[in-house]
Amino acid sequence: MPAYKAPLREIKFVMDELLDMPAHYASIPAYADVATPDMVDAIINEGAKFCENVLSPLNRVGDIEGCTRHEDGSVTTPTGFKEAYKQFVEGGWPSLAHEVDHGGQGLPESLGIVMSEMVGSSNWSWGMYPGLSHGAMNTIELHGTDEQKHIYLSKLVSGEWTGTMCLTESHCGSDLGILKTKAEPNADGSYAITGSKIFISAGEHDMADNIVHIVLARLPGAPEGTKGISLFIVPKFLPNEDGTPGERNSLICGSIEHKMGIHGNATCVMNFDGAKGWLIGPENKGLNCMFTFMNTARIGTALQGSTAAEASYQGALAYAKDRLAMRSLTGPKAPEKAADPIIVHPDVRRMLLTQKAFAEGGRALVYLTAQQNDIVKKSEDEEARKAADEMLGFLTPIAKAFLTEVGYEATNLGVQVFGGHGFIAEWGMEQLVRDTKIACIYEGTTGIQALDLLGRKVLMTQGASLRNFTKLVHKFCQAEEANAELAHLVKPLAELNKEWGDLTMKIGMAAMKNREEVGSASVDYLMYSGYVTLAYLWAQMAKVAQEALANGTSEEDYYKAKLATAKFYFARVLPRTKAHAASMLAGADTVMDLEEAHFAF
Amino acid sequence: MPAYKAPLREIKFVMDELLDMPAHYASIPAYADVATPDMVDAIINEGAKFCENVLSPLNRVGDIEGCTRHEDGSVTTPTGFKEAYKQFVEGGWPSLAHEVDHGGQGLPESLGIVMSEMVGSSNWSWGMYPGLSHGAMNTIELHGTDEQKHIYLSKLVSGEWTGTMCLTESHCGSDLGILKTKAEPNADGSYAITGSKIFISAGEHDMADNIVHIVLARLPGAPEGTKGISLFIVPKFLPNEDGTPGERNSLICGSIEHKMGIHGNATCVMNFDGAKGWLIGPENKGLNCMFTFMNTARIGTALQGSTAAEASYQGALAYAKDRLAMRSLTGPKAPEKAADPIIVHPDVRRMLLTQKAFAEGGRALVYLTAQQNDIVKKSEDEEARKAADEMLGFLTPIAKAFLTEVGYEATNLGVQVFGGHGFIAEWGMEQLVRDTKIACIYEGTTGIQALDLLGRKVLMTQGASLRNFTKLVHKFCQAEEANAELAHLVKPLAELNKEWGDLTMKIGMAAMKNREEVGSASVDYLMYSGYVTLAYLWAQMAKVAQEALANGTSEEDYYKAKLATAKFYFARVLPRTKAHAASMLAGADTVMDLEEAHFAF
């Protein structure tokens, strides 16, 4: 298993040099006094130690042991998981970015994302236990009554209890409109929840005293479809008056799924058999309530892509420096050894640099969205909030789908760098592949994100959200127009930025005649958007590096590496936009012509 | 688990209509009398039944149970594997395409490939047990003494014994030149083999009476590197005079690897402790001997890509017709149901059609190479043999690397079509992903194939092998120049065919200045070559379909589906060549500039 080393220099680069988080925090009164540079540094350094020393060694344990469900429905997590969680709670990590009102530390979510990144790279499966709590906390914080907040929020914030989101049923995931779980009113104002939910991450486990399920269900006589879904709080143990967990609720983990990966996380079938629950938010508005924090949940999943790329890159890089095979085509590089380390070979370097470009570019994109989220939540400038909200909405499907797709690619390259050993479990490289595939699926598949981007975010705003983003890119390109050293980045970026608008226009026109054009083009459009967005970030990172070198620095090699990676990304990865551009314009008939009955004979 | 249904219509299409195998068999005296159309049909139909009814149901069993190694080094294969193998042997399947001299049926290898395809789609792990014997049989057939043939070949051909290829050691796979296993002469003319081999597929199991290991080792004082490697036959049981297995040889399975996939196959560490072996072929020429059948071994692996695409496509298609989610953007297609089957959605169709294009295109490419192999082995026309040998050499790295890469992509699309359920083991879709990843690695990684193609096959022949192939493509395009109905295929094919040569020239020129250009461009070059090769085959398949429709047919829908798939492939998949073309020309500095020490800080 590759031992995780928190990439602190890289984190600092994006935080301080690319996004100027210190100024950002200082500009938001809610953060100015708490998220001071010293505090931020201390938290990241402490977090790094926890992830390197506690979580990383448990990653393979989780994969091997998985979770065990006992006959009574209880679930034991892998060896060490519970103890690590205890340390995590004692360290105050769950409360980092939550409201002071409920026991939180009131630090920015963007700082929480840095910790989530380190947790995710070192042990994604473990990170899902505290990670899933965020959905429950967000739901209660935004839509709960004061009483609900009082009972549940402080326990979730402290990490004493964890939470889940119970959405999916066996017959529906992407299409929640057809879910069947029922909620029938009890005399005491509560509801009796009955139904079966599947794919419930962290649905049952032995880490916390109580588990707070947020369940989507239908009230009697509710309208059909998405407009008849309500949200309920359904705790595993009904809270006593004094806040302690009381009577066991009638819900149970029916089984644990056998999955491709994330074995360390208990993915449960949760059976609710008249379980006691309380309505949260307005009747029949459950999906709307959930949309209010969809962006943050999806950014949390986007992170899985870039964290997996980072973890796989770390493993592959170490191996490529160590493993000997053949000689460089330009003559031996390690003549004293039986063969050269494989990092001398151009194709191995191509794979490593692809991983590196996705890991570092992905970090930049995730942090950028997290910065926008800070502004949405806490800025006192309404215009800024509005602009950030729009950018966040626009970037979220891109970050979620694109980063998980390329993150998955990066994990596969990691296996490939290892050759046959990559296929062997002990090395841990194949686990990263297996763990990461789900990121392209949960929280809305790549296809769903693509429809969200092209249909909802771009076309339904008549392109406004895209234009506002491309304006930023344009501004950057204009400012650097005369920068000869970066011309190999800025020029193609400006061209792609223009083409992005042109392609959107063409698809929009075609879609007016035939609605299928949207679905036909959507995934190519999303991937195209992802490559261009990452190009924008890489160009900006190159600019930062160029300035640092011009100003004189003791870290010349570091900044030169940034320039080399930017160059690689533009020359070797970005040309994929050509394929996506051609494919998205090919027309819906390319996929719709074939009749359903004629797909096979 | 998707139940496998042999795609007999598709197999027939490629055999009879695209490649005219009946005429091909009739033209080769060795096959004319045995591979008659009736016989070929009967064999394929019988084989299909065996694969559908016996092997397919065991595929998931193999994944779940894996193989068990006992303390004495013996290995138990998954439930049912041994019985299936017995049936396979009783049915005469191992001997299908082997020489009559040694008990074979003397049928063409291209027919053997059809059976291998069906075996592979239904249960790849199981298929590796008889599959690995081919390497041993080929070695002995081509390089063994009469005595060696007498002792081993008929047992292997009948399937009573199986074989392995013991090449890899823990420190070397791609670079066999640094292997360490020793062979020391015994007084009786045999050798004592000592060393440890890893990743030995089917290295130990309970299916056959004996296992014949072909082992690469070094003689005392052998030259360093690849020129000091010799081949040895090292049987598990030393054969008695009467041909029965006798004394146990001193070799043992030390452990079974824990792998990402192909759990049903025993991937063994094999420890040879002075094991008795016999030299096969000339001293120090072991690698050369192995190269004589490298092409067929690699085609066997190429098959894993297209068979996995087929299996995953079958599963995904059935699910897409059954699973309900949301309504078509152009209005309900199944108004009587709660939602439309997901096959109505354009992006689901894009995924299915990508799988279909790779499965059917891959079959065409594999069968084409198998046809060339028939000619190489058995044609009495020397010119034809020479031309076929060259084409086979040229197409082999393309088929091996390209088909396994796109086959792997197809299995991932299969998971994606299933959404969350794709990640769940019971559906069998994720197993296909796990089983297929190794295909991009073993028998030479994608990177190794790419160097073989660009370095050895193309540049070292001054482009001759490429030119001879592009001439065929050119001839086809010229013949169809006036064919308006196929212009959307023929025109881009002709352009790409020209570009292929231009790109090769440019890389060749660049490589004269800097050898790293070859390694830098190689994988992009290989993938580019794969997409164009498949485009050529899809254009030919479209031509066959067009003719059938023009001539009148009772299978109109079938041929129209071929045209629709060809159109899809050209419009939606083939544009990827643009990305690869740009990337391969970007220059070696894009990957070589970054110093080894600066990949991370």
Side-chain angles (χ1 to χ4, degrees):
Chain A
M1 194 71 216
Y4 174 67
K5 184 98 184 56
L8 295 175
R9 182 66 189 90
E10 297 298 343
I11 289 172
K12 251 186 119 51
F13 178 79
V14 179
M15 293 279 283
D16 297 351
E17 301 175 68
L18 180 68
L19 300 177
D20 199 358
M21 288 286 197
H24 160 73
Y25 293 148
S27 76
I28 295 177
Y31 298 143
D33 294 337
V34 284
T36 58
D38 284 356
M39 177 59 102
V40 169
D41 271 3
I43 288 172
I44 294 176
N45 288 330
E46 269 314 297
K49 280 185 219 158
F50 179 75
C51 295
E52 292 171 358
N53 302 332
V54 179
L55 295 185
S56 175
L58 295 175
N59 192 32
R60 203 166 126 62
V61 176
D63 187 55
I64 295 172
E65 291 186 14
C67 296
T68 312
R69 178 186 169 277
H70 308 286
E71 267 199 30
D72 63 357
S74 67
V75 168
T76 308
T77 53
T79 305
F81 270 42
K82 188 177 169 170
E83 292 70 23
Y85 186 74
K86 192 161 172 264
Q87 267 186 265
F88 187 74
V89 170
E90 285 168 2
W93 294 107
S95 66
L96 193 71
H98 287 280
E99 300 296 328
V100 179
D101 296 354
H102 307 290
Q105 300 174 53
L107 286 157
E109 280 201 33
S110 59
L111 183 57
I113 280 280
V114 177
M115 182 60 181
S116 297
E117 179 200 317
M118 295 187 292
V119 169
S121 280
S122 53
N123 193 332
W124 186 266
S125 295
W126 184 92
M128 290 178 74
Y129 292 99
L132 263 290
S133 290
H134 287 294
M137 285 190 265
N138 280 326
T139 310
I140 298 169
E141 200 162 327
L142 289 166
H143 306 290
T145 62
D146 284 346
E147 195 193 351
Q148 287 168 341
K149 287 182 192 171
H150 173 72
I151 299 172
Y152 297 101
L153 215 45
S154 61
K155 299 285 190 185
L156 286 165
V157 167
S158 72
E160 286 168 89
W161 298 359
T162 65
T164 78
M165 300 299 299
C166 298
L167 284 61
T168 304
E169 300 179 6
S170 64
H171 67 290
C172 66
S174 298
D175 188 0
L176 292 169
I178 54 178
L179 67 79
K180 292 175 181 164
T181 296
K182 287 183 304 184
E184 285 166 324
N186 295 324
D188 65 358
S190 69
Y191 293 82
I193 312 291
T194 303
S196 190
K197 296 285 181 177
I198 67 166
F199 301 162
I200 308 308
S201 302
E204 179 60 72
H205 58 80
D206 54 2
M207 290 177 169
D209 297 336
N210 201 359
I211 301 174
V212 182
H213 303 284
I214 305 291
V215 183
L216 288 185
R218 290 186 178 283
L219 291 166
E224 277 191 15
T226 53
K227 288 173 181 162
I229 295 172
S230 306
L231 270 177
F232 299 86
I233 306 184
V234 191
K236 176 178 169 188
F237 294 102
L238 301 172
N240 293 321
E241 293 260 318
D242 65 356
T244 56
E247 192 189 333
R248 183 68 160 84
N249 206 351
S250 48
L251 59 93
I252 194 164
C253 166
S255 65
I256 300 186
E257 305 283 3
H258 305 109
K259 311 184 297 288
M260 182 179 187
I262 54 167
H263 293 165
N265 196 273
T267 305
C268 302
V269 173
M270 294 303 298
N271 296 322
F272 298 86
D273 183 17
K276 198 172 235 189
W278 289 270
L279 183 70
I280 179 164
E283 289 186 4
N284 299 328
K285 298 283 183 201
L287 277 194
N288 303 45
C289 290
M290 295 213 24
F291 271 114
T292 52
F293 60 87
M294 196 70 99
N295 288 335
T296 35
R298 288 182 168 175
I299 294 304
T301 310
L303 199 56
Q304 190 175 0
S306 58
T307 59
E310 173 68 32
S312 184
Y313 175 60
Q314 291 194 8
L317 177 58
Y319 190 79
K321 288 177 174 181
D322 186 58
R323 175 79 176 184
L324 308 178
M326 293 177 285
R327 292 297 180 188
S328 162
L329 287 178
T330 53
K333 297 288 174 285
E336 74 287 3
K337 292 179 179 160
D340 286 336
I342 61 174
I343 198 171
V344 307
H345 303 307
D347 190 58
V348 172
R349 292 172 150 256
R350 181 189 60 81
M351 294 192 278
L352 291 171
L353 280 162
T354 305
Q355 295 185 296
K356 183 175 167 72
F358 289 147
E360 295 174 12
R363 174 179 299 112
L365 177 52
V366 170
Y367 287 15
L368 171 64
T369 59
Q371 190 176 44
Q372 302 309 308
N373 190 40
D374 287 346
I375 298 170
V376 172
K377 283 187 67 178
K378 294 290 179 186
S379 171
E380 300 190 346
D381 175 346
E382 200 189 320
E383 289 257 314
R385 280 206 308 274
K386 222 185 119 208
D389 194 40
E390 190 191 60
M391 201 207 284
L392 180 62
F394 174 72
L395 290 179
T396 293
I398 296 175
K400 196 285 180 184
F402 175 74
L403 291 186
T404 57
E405 292 286 343
V406 299
Y408 184 64
E409 177 186 338
T411 62
N412 277 290
L413 290 173
V415 166
Q416 201 69 24
V417 169
F418 272 69
H421 293 279
F423 198 67
I424 303 301
E426 279 75 1
W427 289 97
M429 300 304 286
E430 60 87 37
Q431 182 189 337
L432 290 168
V433 173
R434 289 185 292 100
D435 284 356
T436 308
K437 181 68 209 166
I438 190 62
C440 307
I441 298 172
Y442 59 16
E443 282 296 332
T445 62
T446 299
I448 296 288
Q449 304 297 331
L451 285 178
D452 180 48
L453 174 68
L454 180 55
R456 219 163 143 265
K457 301 287 167 59
V458 174
L459 296 180
M460 269 172 65
T461 66
Q462 271 77 45
S465 62
L466 172 69
R467 269 195 307 279
N468 287 337
F469 191 77
T470 53
K471 263 184 216 161
L472 294 178
V473 182
H474 181 66
K475 217 173 122 188
F476 171 81
C477 291
Q478 265 196 325
E480 303 303 324
E481 213 171 14
N483 186 339
E485 270 177 71
L486 296 189
H488 63 295
L489 311 178
V490 174
K491 208 166 152 278
L493 177 60
E495 284 165 10
L496 284 168
N497 196 44
K498 186 182 170 306
E499 186 186 53
W500 201 358
D502 295 345
L503 291 167
T504 308
M505 189 78 86
K506 283 182 190 163
I507 296 167
M509 300 284 277
M512 288 201 280
K513 290 188 202 145
N514 179 5
R515 293 277 287 154
E516 304 290 18
E517 293 289 347
V518 178
S520 169
S522 55
V523 167
D524 280 311
Y525 184 84
L526 183 136
M527 294 304 290
Y528 179 96
S529 304
Y531 287 116
V532 179
T533 303
L534 225 62
Y536 171 49
L537 289 163
W538 267 114
Q540 287 182 289
M541 292 196 277
K543 170 73 188 158
V544 170
Q546 186 196 30
E547 277 179 3
L549 288 165
N551 295 337
T553 167
S554 61
E555 297 182 298
E556 241 180 64
D557 293 338
Y558 177 78
Y559 291 108
K560 282 186 183 162
K562 276 275 167 287
L563 289 173
T565 312
K567 177 176 157 183
F568 170 83
Y569 178 80
F570 271 76
R572 306 299 300 259
V573 179
L574 197 55
R576 297 179 191 183
T577 49
K578 295 174 194 279
H580 291 296
S583 178
M584 77 175 86
L585 294 183
D589 56 332
T590 57
V591 290
M592 301 311 295
D593 274 0
L594 193 58
E595 279 179 45
E596 183 183 323
H598 302 157
F599 269 73
F601 288 84
Chain B
M1 193 73 217
Y4 174 67
K5 184 95 184 57
L8 296 174
R9 182 64 189 91
E10 297 298 344
I11 290 171
K12 253 187 116 52
F13 178 80
V14 179
M15 294 279 283
D16 296 353
E17 300 174 69
L18 180 69
L19 300 178
D20 199 0
M21 288 286 197
H24 160 73
Y25 294 146
S27 76
I28 296 177
Y31 298 143
D33 294 337
V34 283
T36 59
D38 284 356
M39 177 58 103
V40 169
D41 270 2
I43 287 172
I44 294 176
N45 288 328
E46 269 314 298
K49 279 185 219 160
F50 178 76
C51 295
E52 291 171 359
N53 302 331
V54 179
L55 295 186
S56 175
L58 295 177
N59 193 32
R60 203 166 126 62
V61 176
D63 187 56
I64 295 172
E65 292 186 13
C67 296
T68 312
R69 177 186 170 278
H70 308 285
E71 268 199 29
D72 63 356
S74 66
V75 168
T76 309
T77 52
T79 306
F81 269 43
K82 186 176 173 172
E83 293 70 24
Y85 186 73
K86 191 160 173 264
Q87 265 185 267
F88 187 74
V89 170
E90 283 168 4
W93 293 108
S95 66
L96 194 71
H98 287 278
E99 301 295 328
V100 180
D101 297 353
H102 307 289
Q105 298 173 54
L107 284 157
E109 279 202 33
S110 59
L111 183 58
I113 279 281
V114 177
M115 182 60 180
S116 296
E117 179 199 319
M118 297 187 291
V119 169
S121 281
S122 53
N123 193 332
W124 185 267
S125 295
W126 184 91
M128 289 178 74
Y129 292 98
L132 264 290
S133 290
H134 287 292
M137 284 190 265
N138 279 326
T139 310
I140 299 169
E141 202 163 325
L142 288 165
H143 307 291
T145 61
D146 284 346
E147 195 193 355
Q148 287 168 340
K149 288 183 192 172
H150 173 71
I151 299 173
Y152 296 102
L153 214 45
S154 62
K155 298 286 190 185
L156 287 164
V157 167
S158 71
E160 285 168 90
W161 298 359
T162 64
T164 78
M165 301 299 299
C166 298
L167 284 61
T168 303
E169 300 179 5
S170 64
H171 67 291
C172 66
S174 297
D175 187 1
L176 292 169
I178 55 177
L179 69 77
K180 293 175 181 165
T181 296
K182 289 182 303 185
E184 286 166 323
N186 295 323
D188 65 356
S190 69
Y191 292 83
I193 312 290
T194 302
S196 190
K197 295 285 182 177
I198 68 165
F199 302 163
I200 308 308
S201 302
E204 180 58 73
H205 57 80
D206 54 3
M207 290 178 169
D209 299 337
N210 201 358
I211 301 175
V212 182
H213 302 285
I214 306 291
V215 182
L216 289 186
R218 292 187 177 283
L219 290 168
E224 276 192 16
T226 53
K227 288 173 181 163
I229 296 170
S230 306
L231 269 177
F232 299 86
I233 306 183
V234 190
K236 176 178 169 185
F237 294 102
L238 301 172
N240 293 322
E241 295 259 316
D242 65 356
T244 55
E247 192 190 335
R248 183 70 162 83
N249 206 350
S250 48
L251 58 95
I252 193 162
C253 166
S255 65
I256 301 185
E257 305 283 3
H258 304 110
K259 311 185 298 285
M260 181 180 188
I262 54 167
H263 294 165
N265 196 273
T267 305
C268 302
V269 173
M270 295 302 299
N271 296 322
F272 298 86
D273 183 17
K276 196 171 234 190
W278 289 270
L279 184 71
I280 179 165
E283 287 186 7
N284 299 328
K285 298 282 182 201
L287 277 194
N288 304 46
C289 290
M290 296 216 22
F291 271 115
T292 52
F293 60 88
M294 196 70 99
N295 289 335
T296 36
R298 290 183 165 175
I299 294 303
T301 309
L303 200 56
Q304 189 174 1
S306 58
T307 59
E310 172 69 31
S312 184
Y313 175 60
Q314 291 194 8
L317 177 58
Y319 190 78
K321 289 178 174 181
D322 186 56
R323 175 79 175 182
L324 308 178
M326 293 176 286
R327 292 297 180 187
S328 162
L329 287 178
T330 54
K333 296 290 173 286
E336 74 289 1
K337 292 180 180 160
D340 286 336
I342 60 173
I343 196 171
V344 307
H345 304 307
D347 189 57
V348 172
R349 291 172 151 257
R350 181 188 61 81
M351 294 191 278
L352 292 170
L353 280 161
T354 305
Q355 294 185 297
K356 184 176 166 72
F358 289 147
E360 294 174 12
R363 175 180 298 112
L365 177 52
V366 170
Y367 287 14
L368 171 64
T369 58
Q371 190 177 45
Q372 302 311 307
N373 190 40
D374 286 347
I375 296 170
V376 172
K377 284 187 66 176
K378 294 290 178 183
S379 171
E380 300 190 346
D381 175 346
E382 199 189 321
E383 291 258 314
R385 279 206 308 276
K386 221 185 120 210
D389 194 39
E390 190 191 59
M391 200 206 287
L392 181 62
F394 175 72
L395 289 179
T396 293
I398 297 176
K400 196 286 181 184
F402 175 74
L403 291 185
T404 58
E405 292 286 343
V406 299
Y408 184 63
E409 176 187 339
T411 63
N412 276 290
L413 290 173
V415 166
Q416 201 68 23
V417 168
F418 271 68
H421 292 280
F423 199 65
I424 303 300
E426 279 76 0
W427 289 98
M429 300 303 286
E430 59 87 39
Q431 183 190 336
L432 291 168
V433 174
R434 290 185 291 101
D435 284 356
T436 308
K437 182 67 211 168
I438 191 61
C440 307
I441 298 172
Y442 58 17
E443 282 296 332
T445 63
T446 299
I448 296 287
Q449 303 298 330
L451 285 179
D452 180 48
L453 174 68
L454 180 55
R456 217 161 145 266
K457 302 287 167 60
V458 173
L459 296 180
M460 270 172 64
T461 67
Q462 271 78 44
S465 61
L466 172 69
R467 269 195 306 280
N468 287 338
F469 190 77
T470 53
K471 263 184 215 159
L472 293 178
V473 182
H474 180 68
K475 215 173 125 188
F476 171 80
C477 292
Q478 267 198 324
E480 302 304 324
E481 212 170 14
N483 187 339
E485 270 178 72
L486 296 189
H488 64 296
L489 312 178
V490 174
K491 208 168 150 278
L493 177 62
E495 284 164 10
L496 284 169
N497 195 45
K498 185 180 171 305
E499 187 185 52
W500 201 358
D502 296 345
L503 291 168
T504 307
M505 189 79 84
K506 284 180 189 164
I507 296 168
M509 301 283 278
M512 287 201 282
K513 289 188 202 145
N514 178 5
R515 292 277 288 152
E516 303 290 17
E517 292 288 347
V518 177
S520 170
S522 55
V523 167
D524 280 310
Y525 184 85
L526 183 136
M527 294 305 288
Y528 180 98
S529 303
Y531 287 115
V532 179
T533 303
L534 224 62
Y536 170 50
L537 289 163
W538 267 114
Q540 286 182 292
M541 291 195 276
K543 170 73 188 159
V544 169
Q546 185 196 30
E547 276 179 4
L549 288 164
N551 295 338
T553 166
S554 60
E555 296 182 299
E556 242 180 59
D557 293 336
Y558 177 78
Y559 292 109
K560 282 185 182 164
K562 276 274 168 289
L563 290 173
T565 312
K567 178 176 155 184
F568 170 84
Y569 178 79
F570 271 75
R572 305 301 299 260
V573 179
L574 198 55
R576 298 180 189 182
T577 48
K578 295 174 194 280
H580 291 296
S583 177
M584 77 176 85
L585 293 184
D589 56 334
T590 58
V591 291
M592 301 312 294
D593 274 0
L594 193 59
E595 279 180 45
E596 183 182 322
H598 302 157
F599 268 74
F601 288 84

